[in-house]
């Protein structure tokens, strides 16, 4: 199943409270319940003005639909071709 990086432009995201971030998370999860069970939100990274999310989904269109129905942006959606981490390095 393809994996995607979603860039969400949300001004002042870095200043959201824990409660506000929980509300965003709950909205995302509620919306996902009505989708294909193979669609998974893996993790998100909150920065000053953006949230970067990693999702597993069959295609980009379902990511766009999730964003629209959830009421949050999906400004850039990028198919992840591969992943690497420190364990890939020769020591």
């Amino acid at each position: 199943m393809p994996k995607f990086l979603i860039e969400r432009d949300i001004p002042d995201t870095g200043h959201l409270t824990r409660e506000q971030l929980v509300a965003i998370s709950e909205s995302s999860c509620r919306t996902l319940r009505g989708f294909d069970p193979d669609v998974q939100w893996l993790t998100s990274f909150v920065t000053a003005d953006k949230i970067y999310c990693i999702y597993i989904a069959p295609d980009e269109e379902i990511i766009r639909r999730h964003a629209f129905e959830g009421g949050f942006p999906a400004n850039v959606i990028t198919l992840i071709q591969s992943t690497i981490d420190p364990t890939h390095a020769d020591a």
Side-chain angles (χ1 to χ4, degrees):
M1 178 81 62
K3 192 179 287 186
F4 294 90
L5 172 68
I6 300 102
E7 183 177 325
R8 304 182 192 283
D9 293 334
I10 305 173
D12 294 323
T13 302
H15 293 102
L16 294 176
T17 66
R18 175 166 167 60
E19 292 77 19
Q20 290 169 312
L21 291 172
V22 167
I24 290 170
S25 176
E26 288 172 344
S27 174
S28 179
C29 290
R30 242 187 337 272
T31 304
L32 278 176
R33 284 188 204 111
F35 282 72
D36 180 330
D38 290 334
V39 178
Q40 295 177 47
W41 169 29
L42 298 181
T43 194
S44 293
F45 303 92
V46 179
T47 66
D49 293 313
K50 297 177 188 274
I51 297 179
Y52 296 90
C53 304
I54 307 293
Y55 275 71
I56 295 172
D59 56 50
E60 184 177 322
E61 185 53 38
I62 201 161
I63 300 290
R64 291 197 184 287
R65 195 174 117 220
H66 171 255
F68 176 78
E69 291 183 19
F72 34 79
N75 303 93
V76 179
I77 301 171
T78 305
L79 177 64
I80 297 171
Q81 299 292 327
S82 185
T83 59
I84 60 171
D85 61 46
T87 64
H88 290 91
D90 285 333

